[in-house]
Amino acid sequence: RKEVEQDPGPFNVPEGATVAFNCTYSNSASQSFFWYRQDCRKEPKLLMSVYSSGNEDGRFTAQLNRASQYISLLIRDSKLSDSATYLCVVNSDYKLSFGAGTTVTVRA
Amino acid sequence: DTGVSQDPRHKITKRGQNVTFRCDPISEHNRLYWYRQTLGQGPEFLTYFQNEAQLEKSRLLSDRFSAERPKGSFSTLEIQRTEQGDSAMYLCASSLGPTFTDTQYFGPGTRLTVL
């Protein structure tokens, strides 16, 4: 079983729509959680950290459920520039474990 | 540019050859990580350094792979006797360390193609 599992999508949404997706992780001892964004053939870039209380950064909202080992990301008012692969990332003992990514395409 | 840099950006080699990649982390970062990413997958951890000490190596890092960070600054990743299965993007990341909430910043990667 992979350490981090994500719905690969693709999610194809119109501009202005809301899109949400999630991931699950297997290591209950994981210490910290992140969403990274990766554009085609580029390096991953940190989108946001994820906290148990839930956190928001502009149009992006992340939630963490430690009991269910579940992390979610919601994007409101989608922009064309949000088209990317979103990687769910879990930190266990300083090593990042990545999901395979969820592809989001925002269309005009 | 004060980000993580990697060199070369692309490498094409023939099976059986040795290759070496370099990573220069963000200057004040103590921790340096190597990951490998194949098409359609997320990056997979290979190894990491705290200053010059290599603290952990993944099972993915066969004995053909070796990494060094001799002075606690830049790092090299060498692959000996390359195989076609080594074709991947090799990503380097650095962080201040040592907290768990530490953000890892990635370099642009070295794309290796083994013919």
Side-chain angles (χ1 to χ4, degrees):
Chain A
R1 183 186 172 188
K2 288 188 178 180
E3 202 164 329
V4 181
E5 303 262 15
Q6 283 186 255
D7 179 348
F11 288 81
N12 191 325
V13 300
E15 267 187 298
T18 295
V19 59
F21 42 89
N22 54 64
C23 76
T24 56
Y25 61 95
S26 60
N27 184 353
S28 59
S30 298
Q31 294 102 354
S32 54
F33 309 88
F34 308 90
W35 284 102
Y36 276 71
R37 170 194 169 127
Q38 187 170 29
D39 294 299
C40 188
R41 301 180 78 82
K42 300 279 191 176
E43 73 272 25
K45 293 187 178 177
L46 179 68
L47 178 67
M48 59 196 300
S49 301
V50 188
Y51 304 115
S52 296
S53 53
N55 50 298
E56 197 172 297
D57 183 359
R59 299 179 294 105
F60 297 84
T61 301
Q63 293 277 353
L64 167 65
N65 184 321
R66 281 189 182 266
S68 302
Q69 296 179 204
Y70 171 101
I71 306 165
S72 66
L73 181 66
L74 182 145
I75 307 173
R76 285 186 303 278
D77 187 24
S78 300
K79 311 291 185 194
L80 294 175
S81 58
D82 294 334
S83 297
T85 296
Y86 292 85
L87 299 166
C88 179
V89 186
V90 171
N91 185 331
S92 304
D93 296 328
Y94 305 110
K95 301 182 302 292
L96 297 185
S97 295
F98 288 79
T102 297
T103 300
V104 173
T105 302
V106 182
R107 63 182 189 273
Chain B
D1 187 345
T2 56
V4 178
S5 62
Q6 292 187 245
D7 184 69
R9 296 290 303 277
H10 303 273
K11 179 71 177 178
I12 300 174
T13 191
K14 292 183 179 178
R15 192 176 54 179
Q17 298 294 305
N18 299 344
V19 294
T20 300
F21 310 142
R22 176 180 170 124
C23 170
D24 286 88
I26 295 170
S27 60
E28 65 270 25
H29 283 187
N30 298 314
R31 293 201 166 212
L32 186 148
Y33 309 79
W34 286 99
Y35 294 85
R36 180 173 69 187
Q37 186 174 24
T38 54
L39 199 61
Q41 300 299 315
E44 295 174 294
F45 169 80
L46 293 178
T47 188
Y48 85 97
F49 294 83
Q50 168 77 32
N51 299 315
E52 66 275 10
Q54 189 172 17
L55 296 187
E56 189 163 344
K57 293 193 288 187
S58 162
R59 291 188 303 274
L60 294 174
L61 214 65
S62 77
D63 56 7
R64 296 185 297 106
F65 289 70
S66 61
E68 293 183 341
R69 194 182 183 198
K71 296 182 180 178
S73 56
F74 73 91
S75 175
T76 58
L77 177 69
E78 181 182 17
I79 309 174
Q80 296 184 325
R81 305 180 305 280
T82 51
E83 301 172 357
Q84 288 185 325
D86 297 331
S87 295
M89 173 79 90
Y90 290 83
L91 292 159
C92 176
S94 71
S95 70
L96 275 171
T99 65
F100 293 119
T101 53
D102 205 25
T103 298
Q104 294 185 24
Y105 297 90
F106 283 81
T110 294
R111 187 170 296 280
L112 173 66
T113 302
V114 181
L115 301 176

